Amino acid sequence: VQGLHNEEIDAAFIRSPVADVVALTVRPLLQEKMVVALPKGHPLAGGGRKKKAAQSRTAPLPLADLATETFILYKRPGGPGLYDTIITACRGAGFSPHVGQEAPRIISTLNLVAAGLGVSLVPESLRRLQMDGVVYRKLADNAQLTAPLILACRRGENAASVQRFIDLVQSTAEHIEADTELR
C-alpha cells in the first residue's frame, strides 16, 4: 500500500483488508478457501498404503484436530488480516494455537512446514506449488476460513497499461469464481 501511495508501483495484490484507502481504489477479487499444509509423513497427512489412510487423506480435516500442533504463520505486521483470521478460527474451534514460527512471506511458511517445524493454514491456490515435503488437506466447512484477494491501485489511474492489467485481473478473477461455483 505504501508503494502505491509513493507511486513506486501501479497495482498491488493484497491478502488483508486495507485500512489506508485514501486515494486508492480497492477491488475485492476472490474469497479463497484456506487449507492446512502438513509435513509429509505427519499423522494427519494420511500417508500410507491402506485404503483407510487414503480415505482419511481426502476427507476434510476438522480445525479442532490441529489443537496440539505447532503453527507456522505469516507475520502479523505484513498480513494482519490472515493472521487474525486464523487465530480467531482456532479459538472458535476450541483452542488457542501454539505459534512456533512466523515467516516473512506466505510462501516461506511452506518451506518451514516442509522442514517439519509445524503446520500452516494457507490459501488453497498455494496447493499448486506442489512443494516437496508438504501435503495439503482441505478443512471441514465449519472452519469457514477464507483468504481475501484484493487488487489495489491509485484512484484515477489512467495509464493504458495499468487499465489493461486491471481489466485482465478482474476478468480472470470472474472466471475463477465461476469455475469454483460450478465445482
Side-chain angles (χ1 to χ4, degrees), residues 2-3 9-11 13 51 67 88 106 112-113 136 147 173 181 183:
Q2 193 62 44
I9 59 175
D10 295 316
F13 290 105
K51 186 175 182 180
T88 300
I106 286 180
L112 296 170
V113 169
Y136 300 95
E181 289 174 4
R183 283 189 240 154

Side-chain angles (χ1 to χ4, degrees), residues 32-42 44-47 53-61 66 106-114 118-140:
E32 191 174 357
K33 286 187 177 183
M34 302 280 280
V35 296
V36 60
L38 301 154
K40 187 175 183 177
H42 188 285
L44 295 175
Q55 287 173 340
S56 68
R57 184 175 54 241
T58 59
L61 186 68
L66 302 175
I106 286 180
I107 293 176
S108 302
T109 64
L110 297 178
N111 291 318
L112 296 170
V113 169
V119 304
S120 190
L121 299 173
V122 297
E124 190 172 30
S125 60
L126 292 183
R127 292 178 85 145
R128 293 185 186 113
L129 293 179
Q130 298 182 4
M131 183 176 283
D132 286 340
V134 178
V135 174
Y136 300 95
R137 293 269 316 267
K138 288 186 178 186
L139 291 166

Side-chain angles (χ1 to χ4, degrees), residues 9-86:
I9 59 175
D10 295 316
F13 290 105
I14 302 169
R15 283 282 187 187
S16 311
V18 181
D20 185 10
V21 296
V22 174
L24 297 180
T25 299
V26 177
R27 295 174 169 85
L29 299 172
L30 300 170
Q31 281 293 332
E32 191 174 357
K33 286 187 177 183
M34 302 280 280
V35 296
V36 60
L38 301 154
K40 187 175 183 177
H42 188 285
L44 295 175
R49 294 186 177 138
K50 295 181 180 178
K51 186 175 182 180
K52 188 174 182 179
Q55 287 173 340
S56 68
R57 184 175 54 241
T58 59
L61 186 68
L63 188 58
D65 285 4
L66 302 175
T68 60
E69 300 297 328
T70 297
F71 279 72
I72 301 166
L73 298 179
Y74 179 50
K75 283 188 177 183
R76 190 178 188 289
L82 287 181
Y83 190 100
D84 292 347
T85 296
I86 291 168

